[in-house]
Amino acid sequence: MAVLQGHGNPGDDASGVSDPGAGPEKLSRQLANRHIQLIAIGGAIGTGLFMGSGKTISLAGPSVILVYMVIGFFLFFVMRAMGELLLSNSGYKSFSDFAGDLLGPWAGFFTGWTYWFCWVVTGIADVVAIAGYVSYWWSDLPLWIPALVCIAVLLVLNLPTVRAFGETEFWFALIKVIAIGALIVTGLVMVITGFTGDNGSTASLANLWNDGGFFPTGPMGFVAGFQIAVFAFVGIELVGTTAAEAKEPERTLPRAINSIPVRVLLFYVGALIVICAVTPWRQVSADESPFVAMFALAGLGVAASVVNFVVLTSATSSANSGIYSTSRMVYGLAGDGDAPALFGKLSRRKVPANALRFSCAFLLIGVVLLYAGQSIVEAFTVVTTISSLCFMFVWTMILASYLVYRKRRPHLHAASKFKMPGGVPAVWAVLAFFVFLIWALTQKSDTLQALLVTPIWFVVLGLAYLVVRRSPHHAALREQHREKVLAENAALR
């Protein structure tokens, strides 16, 4: 699936993928390096960190710090695999491009629509979280009001030019970076000065181990921490969908991917160490953001309100990025005949407006979820688990594409200037880690419930593909793919 137009003709380039920008209607390359870098950071700092980390701390205690480090370590290899593949062919504009090219048209269809579904579900989770953040100030306000306002704002933010989106996301991400930096500095000052809050707790690094040790809830508590923590990393691959509108993807993409370890250490590990040091882990509520609670427990009510505004901004930023990426994915699917042609049309400002409205409409499900469960966190947990599973599918498709790429196109790997460290063995290690994550999701009733529901999406998608693949366009793609594989195998012999 090509994000801009389509697969093109077999002779267009080395892999048979044409330049998707060659069609009559094409997206505009208006995202500068600063936009890409901050969008990448914004994708890594989302609702999962601000909203979900409270539950992970209550489940795993201070060992949650290690949980985030492990997940970040393995996902770095996924991003490096994605980077090498995207840069191996100028015709690739997203990971669904190379999935469709290397694994077949079915893979482009499944990857594209599942990624759309991932971000729609994530957006729903963000809407749920935003309603919770607003209730911090106005507890009597009906939850559906902030939810609907959020959806309307997202539509308004994305309808102008892509540069307007880039600027909006740049400032959203900058607010998050400054806020987390301020939180870390404030927390360190509290620890150094031995600050004592109104509840009698004293800020100290000893809080990381003096209440049951670093693994106070035991091995299974540590495993349970992975259930929600993995959702904090969804969107880490977002930079892979900006390549089609980036001015210099060859330079900006490697820089954004290589900064992932630093982002994980600073924004996740650094922030969580401070939170667990300032607030004993047993006092961190699973039902609210620990970023807000940390200041509230220390008696800094005004600061807590400021942090609540920041996490509200963060959730809006995450949903904003999701709507951006889903609209581009649906636009590309339409270009391949995998979605109605209506979604393949651009506005006068080169924005897929119809695809934007389509994705925003599904966020209304978040309004229903607010009243379907007993609490916001309950709804958030179910939705984030479904989202995490679908993102793992997309990440797995990236890795599967890399395995095929290494087998069928070793010359491109040899010529690559951005090789994935660890190569094929690293891919299998990450896939084994994904199996562990799925097993971890079976250990709690709420995440198990979401795990059992998720396959319904793939059944629906499979039935849809059985219908779509009968079209002449898909028949041509399958034949093109078969001829390509035969030619490549002949060249390798």
Side-chain angles (χ1 to χ4, degrees), residues 53-86:
S53 55
K55 182 167 184 177
T56 56
I57 292 173
S58 67
L59 290 172
S63 66
V64 69
I65 297 166
L66 186 58
V67 169
Y68 281 84
M69 291 179 68
V70 171
I71 297 174
F73 172 79
F74 282 106
L75 290 186
F76 174 66
F77 291 102
V78 178
M79 297 304 99
R80 283 298 300 261
M82 180 186 74
E84 180 177 343
L85 286 168
L86 285 174

PDB file of all heavy atoms in Angstrom, residues 53-86:
ATOM      1  N   SER A  53       0.912   5.185  33.550  1.00  0.00           N
ATOM      2  CA  SER A  53       2.023   4.854  34.441  1.00  0.00           C
ATOM      3  C   SER A  53       1.576   4.711  35.889  1.00  0.00           C
ATOM      4  O   SER A  53       2.224   4.029  36.679  1.00  0.00           O
ATOM      5  CB  SER A  53       3.130   5.911  34.328  1.00  0.00           C
ATOM      6  OG  SER A  53       2.637   7.209  34.558  1.00  0.00           O
ATOM      7  N   GLY A  54       0.453   5.333  36.260  1.00  0.00           N
ATOM      8  CA  GLY A  54      -0.065   5.166  37.611  1.00  0.00           C
ATOM      9  C   GLY A  54      -0.423   3.719  37.877  1.00  0.00           C
ATOM     10  O   GLY A  54      -0.113   3.166  38.948  1.00  0.00           O
ATOM     11  N   LYS A  55      -1.065   3.077  36.910  1.00  0.00           N
ATOM     12  CA  LYS A  55      -1.447   1.679  37.101  1.00  0.00           C
ATOM     13  C   LYS A  55      -0.220   0.770  37.058  1.00  0.00           C
ATOM     14  O   LYS A  55      -0.129  -0.199  37.815  1.00  0.00           O
ATOM     15  CB  LYS A  55      -2.453   1.247  36.031  1.00  0.00           C
ATOM     16  CG  LYS A  55      -2.908  -0.191  36.234  1.00  0.00           C
ATOM     17  CD  LYS A  55      -4.114  -0.552  35.391  1.00  0.00           C
ATOM     18  CE  LYS A  55      -4.571  -1.969  35.719  1.00  0.00           C
ATOM     19  NZ  LYS A  55      -5.797  -2.342  34.982  1.00  0.00           N
ATOM     20  N   THR A  56       0.742   1.060  36.181  1.00  0.00           N
ATOM     21  CA  THR A  56       1.932   0.212  36.117  1.00  0.00           C
ATOM     22  C   THR A  56       2.722   0.283  37.415  1.00  0.00           C
ATOM     23  O   THR A  56       3.263  -0.729  37.875  1.00  0.00           O
ATOM     24  CB  THR A  56       2.843   0.618  34.942  1.00  0.00           C
ATOM     25  OG1 THR A  56       3.189   1.997  35.059  1.00  0.00           O
ATOM     26  CG2 THR A  56       2.157   0.393  33.606  1.00  0.00           C
ATOM     27  N   ILE A  57       2.798   1.453  38.022  1.00  0.00           N
ATOM     28  CA  ILE A  57       3.507   1.581  39.306  1.00  0.00           C
ATOM     29  C   ILE A  57       2.772   0.799  40.390  1.00  0.00           C
ATOM     30  O   ILE A  57       3.399   0.106  41.210  1.00  0.00           O
ATOM     31  CB  ILE A  57       3.642   3.066  39.709  1.00  0.00           C
ATOM     32  CG1 ILE A  57       4.588   3.792  38.749  1.00  0.00           C
ATOM     33  CG2 ILE A  57       4.160   3.196  41.140  1.00  0.00           C
ATOM     34  CD1 ILE A  57       4.666   5.290  38.962  1.00  0.00           C
ATOM     35  N   SER A  58       1.441   0.862  40.407  1.00  0.00           N
ATOM     36  CA  SER A  58       0.674   0.127  41.415  1.00  0.00           C
ATOM     37  C   SER A  58       0.804  -1.382  41.228  1.00  0.00           C
ATOM     38  O   SER A  58       0.696  -2.144  42.186  1.00  0.00           O
ATOM     39  CB  SER A  58      -0.797   0.539  41.360  1.00  0.00           C
ATOM     40  OG  SER A  58      -1.410   0.120  40.153  1.00  0.00           O
ATOM     41  N   LEU A  59       1.041  -1.824  40.002  1.00  0.00           N
ATOM     42  CA  LEU A  59       1.189  -3.253  39.720  1.00  0.00           C
ATOM     43  C   LEU A  59       2.602  -3.765  39.981  1.00  0.00           C
ATOM     44  O   LEU A  59       2.793  -4.858  40.521  1.00  0.00           O
ATOM     45  CB  LEU A  59       0.818  -3.548  38.256  1.00  0.00           C
ATOM     46  CG  LEU A  59      -0.647  -3.423  37.852  1.00  0.00           C
ATOM     47  CD1 LEU A  59      -0.792  -3.549  36.345  1.00  0.00           C
ATOM     48  CD2 LEU A  59      -1.487  -4.491  38.553  1.00  0.00           C
ATOM     49  N   ALA A  60       3.593  -2.985  39.570  1.00  0.00           N
ATOM     50  CA  ALA A  60       4.980  -3.460  39.600  1.00  0.00           C
ATOM     51  C   ALA A  60       5.850  -2.759  40.629  1.00  0.00           C
ATOM     52  O   ALA A  60       6.979  -3.198  40.870  1.00  0.00           O
ATOM     53  CB  ALA A  60       5.595  -3.312  38.205  1.00  0.00           C
ATOM     54  N   GLY A  61       5.386  -1.670  41.223  1.00  0.00           N
ATOM     55  CA  GLY A  61       6.234  -0.929  42.152  1.00  0.00           C
ATOM     56  C   GLY A  61       7.380  -0.257  41.407  1.00  0.00           C
ATOM     57  O   GLY A  61       7.281   0.012  40.203  1.00  0.00           O
ATOM     58  N   PRO A  62       8.493   0.000  42.073  1.00  0.00           N
ATOM     59  CA  PRO A  62       9.625   0.671  41.419  1.00  0.00           C
ATOM     60  C   PRO A  62      10.198  -0.093  40.220  1.00  0.00           C
ATOM     61  O   PRO A  62      10.848   0.504  39.369  1.00  0.00           O
ATOM     62  CB  PRO A  62      10.665   0.757  42.545  1.00  0.00           C
ATOM     63  CG  PRO A  62       9.861   0.724  43.801  1.00  0.00           C
ATOM     64  CD  PRO A  62       8.718  -0.197  43.508  1.00  0.00           C
ATOM     65  N   SER A  63       9.933  -1.407  40.149  1.00  0.00           N
ATOM     66  CA  SER A  63      10.466  -2.183  39.016  1.00  0.00           C
ATOM     67  C   SER A  63       9.865  -1.741  37.696  1.00  0.00           C
ATOM     68  O   SER A  63      10.322  -2.169  36.623  1.00  0.00           O
ATOM     69  CB  SER A  63      10.213  -3.681  39.225  1.00  0.00           C
ATOM     70  OG  SER A  63       8.828  -3.978  39.205  1.00  0.00           O
ATOM     71  N   VAL A  64       8.831  -0.866  37.753  1.00  0.00           N
ATOM     72  CA  VAL A  64       8.249  -0.332  36.524  1.00  0.00           C
ATOM     73  C   VAL A  64       9.305   0.395  35.703  1.00  0.00           C
ATOM     74  O   VAL A  64       9.227   0.467  34.469  1.00  0.00           O
ATOM     75  CB  VAL A  64       7.069   0.604  36.856  1.00  0.00           C
ATOM     76  CG1 VAL A  64       7.554   1.884  37.515  1.00  0.00           C
ATOM     77  CG2 VAL A  64       6.279   0.949  35.606  1.00  0.00           C
ATOM     78  N   ILE A  65      10.320   0.927  36.377  1.00  0.00           N
ATOM     79  CA  ILE A  65      11.423   1.608  35.683  1.00  0.00           C
ATOM     80  C   ILE A  65      12.107   0.649  34.717  1.00  0.00           C
ATOM     81  O   ILE A  65      12.379   0.981  33.558  1.00  0.00           O
ATOM     82  CB  ILE A  65      12.436   2.157  36.711  1.00  0.00           C
ATOM     83  CG1 ILE A  65      11.763   3.207  37.602  1.00  0.00           C
ATOM     84  CG2 ILE A  65      13.655   2.748  36.012  1.00  0.00           C
ATOM     85  CD1 ILE A  65      12.559   3.555  38.835  1.00  0.00           C
ATOM     86  N   LEU A  66      12.353  -0.567  35.185  1.00  0.00           N
ATOM     87  CA  LEU A  66      12.982  -1.584  34.343  1.00  0.00           C
ATOM     88  C   LEU A  66      12.051  -2.029  33.223  1.00  0.00           C
ATOM     89  O   LEU A  66      12.496  -2.315  32.107  1.00  0.00           O
ATOM     90  CB  LEU A  66      13.396  -2.781  35.204  1.00  0.00           C
ATOM     91  CG  LEU A  66      14.199  -3.900  34.505  1.00  0.00           C
ATOM     92  CD1 LEU A  66      15.478  -3.328  33.905  1.00  0.00           C
ATOM     93  CD2 LEU A  66      14.516  -5.012  35.494  1.00  0.00           C
ATOM     94  N   VAL A  67      10.750  -2.060  33.518  1.00  0.00           N
ATOM     95  CA  VAL A  67       9.759  -2.438  32.501  1.00  0.00           C
ATOM     96  C   VAL A  67       9.856  -1.522  31.288  1.00  0.00           C
ATOM     97  O   VAL A  67       9.932  -1.980  30.142  1.00  0.00           O
ATOM     98  CB  VAL A  67       8.332  -2.384  33.099  1.00  0.00           C
ATOM     99  CG1 VAL A  67       7.283  -2.502  31.989  1.00  0.00           C
ATOM    100  CG2 VAL A  67       8.132  -3.487  34.124  1.00  0.00           C
ATOM    101  N   TYR A  68       9.886  -0.213  31.529  1.00  0.00           N
ATOM    102  CA  TYR A  68       9.955   0.753  30.427  1.00  0.00           C
ATOM    103  C   TYR A  68      11.288   0.660  29.685  1.00  0.00           C
ATOM    104  O   TYR A  68      11.346   0.836  28.457  1.00  0.00           O
ATOM    105  CB  TYR A  68       9.729   2.173  30.958  1.00  0.00           C
ATOM    106  CG  TYR A  68       8.283   2.492  31.215  1.00  0.00           C
ATOM    107  CD1 TYR A  68       7.671   2.136  32.417  1.00  0.00           C
ATOM    108  CD2 TYR A  68       7.506   3.147  30.263  1.00  0.00           C
ATOM    109  CE1 TYR A  68       6.339   2.425  32.660  1.00  0.00           C
ATOM    110  CE2 TYR A  68       6.175   3.439  30.497  1.00  0.00           C
ATOM    111  CZ  TYR A  68       5.589   3.071  31.695  1.00  0.00           C
ATOM    112  OH  TYR A  68       4.262   3.354  31.926  1.00  0.00           O
ATOM    113  N   MET A  69      12.370   0.371  30.398  1.00  0.00           N
ATOM    114  CA  MET A  69      13.676   0.236  29.759  1.00  0.00           C
ATOM    115  C   MET A  69      13.701  -0.970  28.819  1.00  0.00           C
ATOM    116  O   MET A  69      14.216  -0.896  27.697  1.00  0.00           O
ATOM    117  CB  MET A  69      14.776   0.099  30.815  1.00  0.00           C
ATOM    118  CG  MET A  69      15.037   1.355  31.622  1.00  0.00           C
ATOM    119  SD  MET A  69      16.338   1.124  32.869  1.00  0.00           S
ATOM    120  CE  MET A  69      17.780   0.918  31.814  1.00  0.00           C
ATOM    121  N   VAL A  70      13.124  -2.090  29.264  1.00  0.00           N
ATOM    122  CA  VAL A  70      13.108  -3.315  28.446  1.00  0.00           C
ATOM    123  C   VAL A  70      12.284  -3.107  27.178  1.00  0.00           C
ATOM    124  O   VAL A  70      12.714  -3.457  26.067  1.00  0.00           O
ATOM    125  CB  VAL A  70      12.549  -4.504  29.266  1.00  0.00           C
ATOM    126  CG1 VAL A  70      12.313  -5.712  28.371  1.00  0.00           C
ATOM    127  CG2 VAL A  70      13.517  -4.869  30.394  1.00  0.00           C
ATOM    128  N   ILE A  71      11.094  -2.532  27.329  1.00  0.00           N
ATOM    129  CA  ILE A  71      10.247  -2.297  26.152  1.00  0.00           C
ATOM    130  C   ILE A  71      10.937  -1.350  25.172  1.00  0.00           C
ATOM    131  O   ILE A  71      10.952  -1.588  23.956  1.00  0.00           O
ATOM    132  CB  ILE A  71       8.882  -1.727  26.570  1.00  0.00           C
ATOM    133  CG1 ILE A  71       8.133  -2.724  27.445  1.00  0.00           C
ATOM    134  CG2 ILE A  71       8.043  -1.373  25.337  1.00  0.00           C
ATOM    135  CD1 ILE A  71       6.838  -2.198  28.026  1.00  0.00           C
ATOM    136  N   GLY A  72      11.505  -0.254  25.678  1.00  0.00           N
ATOM    137  CA  GLY A  72      12.209   0.689  24.816  1.00  0.00           C
ATOM    138  C   GLY A  72      13.378   0.062  24.094  1.00  0.00           C
ATOM    139  O   GLY A  72      13.634   0.353  22.917  1.00  0.00           O
ATOM    140  N   PHE A  73      14.099  -0.846  24.777  1.00  0.00           N
ATOM    141  CA  PHE A  73      15.248  -1.535  24.167  1.00  0.00           C
ATOM    142  C   PHE A  73      14.827  -2.336  22.951  1.00  0.00           C
ATOM    143  O   PHE A  73      15.423  -2.228  21.871  1.00  0.00           O
ATOM    144  CB  PHE A  73      15.902  -2.442  25.215  1.00  0.00           C
ATOM    145  CG  PHE A  73      16.979  -3.339  24.662  1.00  0.00           C
ATOM    146  CD1 PHE A  73      18.255  -2.846  24.416  1.00  0.00           C
ATOM    147  CD2 PHE A  73      16.715  -4.677  24.389  1.00  0.00           C
ATOM    148  CE1 PHE A  73      19.245  -3.665  23.893  1.00  0.00           C
ATOM    149  CE2 PHE A  73      17.696  -5.513  23.868  1.00  0.00           C
ATOM    150  CZ  PHE A  73      18.974  -4.996  23.624  1.00  0.00           C
ATOM    151  N   PHE A  74      13.778  -3.143  23.090  1.00  0.00           N
ATOM    152  CA  PHE A  74      13.361  -3.996  21.976  1.00  0.00           C
ATOM    153  C   PHE A  74      12.721  -3.193  20.845  1.00  0.00           C
ATOM    154  O   PHE A  74      12.938  -3.500  19.662  1.00  0.00           O
ATOM    155  CB  PHE A  74      12.397  -5.076  22.477  1.00  0.00           C
ATOM    156  CG  PHE A  74      13.076  -6.211  23.183  1.00  0.00           C
ATOM    157  CD1 PHE A  74      13.012  -6.340  24.560  1.00  0.00           C
ATOM    158  CD2 PHE A  74      13.795  -7.150  22.466  1.00  0.00           C
ATOM    159  CE1 PHE A  74      13.646  -7.385  25.214  1.00  0.00           C
ATOM    160  CE2 PHE A  74      14.447  -8.202  23.100  1.00  0.00           C
ATOM    161  CZ  PHE A  74      14.374  -8.318  24.488  1.00  0.00           C
ATOM    162  N   LEU A  75      11.950  -2.166  21.176  1.00  0.00           N
ATOM    163  CA  LEU A  75      11.296  -1.392  20.117  1.00  0.00           C
ATOM    164  C   LEU A  75      12.290  -0.550  19.326  1.00  0.00           C
ATOM    165  O   LEU A  75      12.020  -0.182  18.180  1.00  0.00           O
ATOM    166  CB  LEU A  75      10.203  -0.500  20.706  1.00  0.00           C
ATOM    167  CG  LEU A  75       8.971  -1.227  21.217  1.00  0.00           C
ATOM    168  CD1 LEU A  75       7.892  -0.248  21.645  1.00  0.00           C
ATOM    169  CD2 LEU A  75       8.410  -2.167  20.147  1.00  0.00           C
ATOM    170  N   PHE A  76      13.448  -0.263  19.900  1.00  0.00           N
ATOM    171  CA  PHE A  76      14.488   0.441  19.144  1.00  0.00           C
ATOM    172  C   PHE A  76      14.898  -0.370  17.917  1.00  0.00           C
ATOM    173  O   PHE A  76      15.112   0.189  16.834  1.00  0.00           O
ATOM    174  CB  PHE A  76      15.703   0.706  20.033  1.00  0.00           C
ATOM    175  CG  PHE A  76      16.874   1.300  19.300  1.00  0.00           C
ATOM    176  CD1 PHE A  76      16.807   2.576  18.759  1.00  0.00           C
ATOM    177  CD2 PHE A  76      18.036   0.570  19.124  1.00  0.00           C
ATOM    178  CE1 PHE A  76      17.882   3.126  18.071  1.00  0.00           C
ATOM    179  CE2 PHE A  76      19.118   1.110  18.445  1.00  0.00           C
ATOM    180  CZ  PHE A  76      19.041   2.388  17.913  1.00  0.00           C
ATOM    181  N   PHE A  77      14.967  -1.692  18.056  1.00  0.00           N
ATOM    182  CA  PHE A  77      15.337  -2.542  16.923  1.00  0.00           C
ATOM    183  C   PHE A  77      14.238  -2.552  15.864  1.00  0.00           C
ATOM    184  O   PHE A  77      14.522  -2.624  14.664  1.00  0.00           O
ATOM    185  CB  PHE A  77      15.629  -3.970  17.403  1.00  0.00           C
ATOM    186  CG  PHE A  77      16.875  -4.088  18.224  1.00  0.00           C
ATOM    187  CD1 PHE A  77      16.811  -4.181  19.598  1.00  0.00           C
ATOM    188  CD2 PHE A  77      18.124  -4.087  17.615  1.00  0.00           C
ATOM    189  CE1 PHE A  77      17.961  -4.273  20.359  1.00  0.00           C
ATOM    190  CE2 PHE A  77      19.284  -4.183  18.365  1.00  0.00           C
ATOM    191  CZ  PHE A  77      19.204  -4.273  19.751  1.00  0.00           C
ATOM    192  N   VAL A  78      12.988  -2.472  16.288  1.00  0.00           N
ATOM    193  CA  VAL A  78      11.887  -2.389  15.323  1.00  0.00           C
ATOM    194  C   VAL A  78      12.015  -1.121  14.488  1.00  0.00           C
ATOM    195  O   VAL A  78      11.861  -1.126  13.263  1.00  0.00           O
ATOM    196  CB  VAL A  78      10.526  -2.415  16.044  1.00  0.00           C
ATOM    197  CG1 VAL A  78       9.384  -2.267  15.029  1.00  0.00           C
ATOM    198  CG2 VAL A  78      10.352  -3.697  16.838  1.00  0.00           C
ATOM    199  N   MET A  79      12.337  -0.018  15.164  1.00  0.00           N
ATOM    200  CA  MET A  79      12.467   1.258  14.457  1.00  0.00           C
ATOM    201  C   MET A  79      13.685   1.274  13.541  1.00  0.00           C
ATOM    202  O   MET A  79      13.641   1.862  12.455  1.00  0.00           O
ATOM    203  CB  MET A  79      12.551   2.410  15.462  1.00  0.00           C
ATOM    204  CG  MET A  79      11.318   2.609  16.325  1.00  0.00           C
ATOM    205  SD  MET A  79       9.806   2.850  15.360  1.00  0.00           S
ATOM    206  CE  MET A  79       9.114   1.177  15.414  1.00  0.00           C
ATOM    207  N   ARG A  80      14.761   0.627  13.947  1.00  0.00           N
ATOM    208  CA  ARG A  80      15.927   0.566  13.067  1.00  0.00           C
ATOM    209  C   ARG A  80      15.641  -0.293  11.834  1.00  0.00           C
ATOM    210  O   ARG A  80      16.095   0.031  10.726  1.00  0.00           O
ATOM    211  CB  ARG A  80      17.132   0.020  13.834  1.00  0.00           C
ATOM    212  CG  ARG A  80      17.789   1.041  14.768  1.00  0.00           C
ATOM    213  CD  ARG A  80      18.331   2.242  14.017  1.00  0.00           C
ATOM    214  NE  ARG A  80      19.334   1.899  13.048  1.00  0.00           N
ATOM    215  CZ  ARG A  80      20.649   2.012  13.239  1.00  0.00           C
ATOM    216  NH1 ARG A  80      21.106   2.468  14.406  1.00  0.00           N
ATOM    217  NH2 ARG A  80      21.503   1.698  12.281  1.00  0.00           N
ATOM    218  N   ALA A  81      14.891  -1.376  12.012  1.00  0.00           N
ATOM    219  CA  ALA A  81      14.484  -2.188  10.860  1.00  0.00           C
ATOM    220  C   ALA A  81      13.623  -1.370   9.918  1.00  0.00           C
ATOM    221  O   ALA A  81      13.802  -1.403   8.697  1.00  0.00           O
ATOM    222  CB  ALA A  81      13.735  -3.432  11.338  1.00  0.00           C
ATOM    223  N   MET A  82      12.679  -0.606  10.486  1.00  0.00           N
ATOM    224  CA  MET A  82      11.821   0.259   9.679  1.00  0.00           C
ATOM    225  C   MET A  82      12.657   1.294   8.940  1.00  0.00           C
ATOM    226  O   MET A  82      12.443   1.553   7.740  1.00  0.00           O
ATOM    227  CB  MET A  82      10.788   0.956  10.569  1.00  0.00           C
ATOM    228  CG  MET A  82       9.847   1.894   9.821  1.00  0.00           C
ATOM    229  SD  MET A  82       8.760   2.837  10.916  1.00  0.00           S
ATOM    230  CE  MET A  82       9.938   4.031  11.587  1.00  0.00           C
ATOM    231  N   GLY A  83      13.625   1.891   9.626  1.00  0.00           N
ATOM    232  CA  GLY A  83      14.463   2.910   9.003  1.00  0.00           C
ATOM    233  C   GLY A  83      15.275   2.369   7.840  1.00  0.00           C
ATOM    234  O   GLY A  83      15.349   2.999   6.777  1.00  0.00           O
ATOM    235  N   GLU A  84      15.879   1.187   8.029  1.00  0.00           N
ATOM    236  CA  GLU A  84      16.673   0.612   6.935  1.00  0.00           C
ATOM    237  C   GLU A  84      15.795   0.309   5.728  1.00  0.00           C
ATOM    238  O   GLU A  84      16.187   0.564   4.579  1.00  0.00           O
ATOM    239  CB  GLU A  84      17.379  -0.667   7.393  1.00  0.00           C
ATOM    240  CG  GLU A  84      18.221  -1.291   6.289  1.00  0.00           C
ATOM    241  CD  GLU A  84      19.007  -2.523   6.723  1.00  0.00           C
ATOM    242  OE1 GLU A  84      19.179  -2.728   7.944  1.00  0.00           O
ATOM    243  OE2 GLU A  84      19.450  -3.283   5.836  1.00  0.00           O
ATOM    244  N   LEU A  85      14.599  -0.215   5.960  1.00  0.00           N
ATOM    245  CA  LEU A  85      13.705  -0.538   4.858  1.00  0.00           C
ATOM    246  C   LEU A  85      13.222   0.709   4.136  1.00  0.00           C
ATOM    247  O   LEU A  85      13.214   0.766   2.899  1.00  0.00           O
ATOM    248  CB  LEU A  85      12.510  -1.342   5.379  1.00  0.00           C
ATOM    249  CG  LEU A  85      12.806  -2.797   5.753  1.00  0.00           C
ATOM    250  CD1 LEU A  85      11.644  -3.399   6.524  1.00  0.00           C
ATOM    251  CD2 LEU A  85      13.100  -3.625   4.512  1.00  0.00           C
ATOM    252  N   LEU A  86      12.816   1.734   4.877  1.00  0.00           N
ATOM    253  CA  LEU A  86      12.328   2.963   4.245  1.00  0.00           C
ATOM    254  C   LEU A  86      13.400   3.626   3.397  1.00  0.00           C
ATOM    255  O   LEU A  86      13.120   4.154   2.318  1.00  0.00           O
ATOM    256  CB  LEU A  86      11.833   3.939   5.312  1.00  0.00           C
ATOM    257  CG  LEU A  86      10.481   3.632   5.958  1.00  0.00           C
ATOM    258  CD1 LEU A  86      10.203   4.604   7.102  1.00  0.00           C
ATOM    259  CD2 LEU A  86       9.351   3.697   4.933  1.00  0.00           C
TER     260      LEU A  86
END
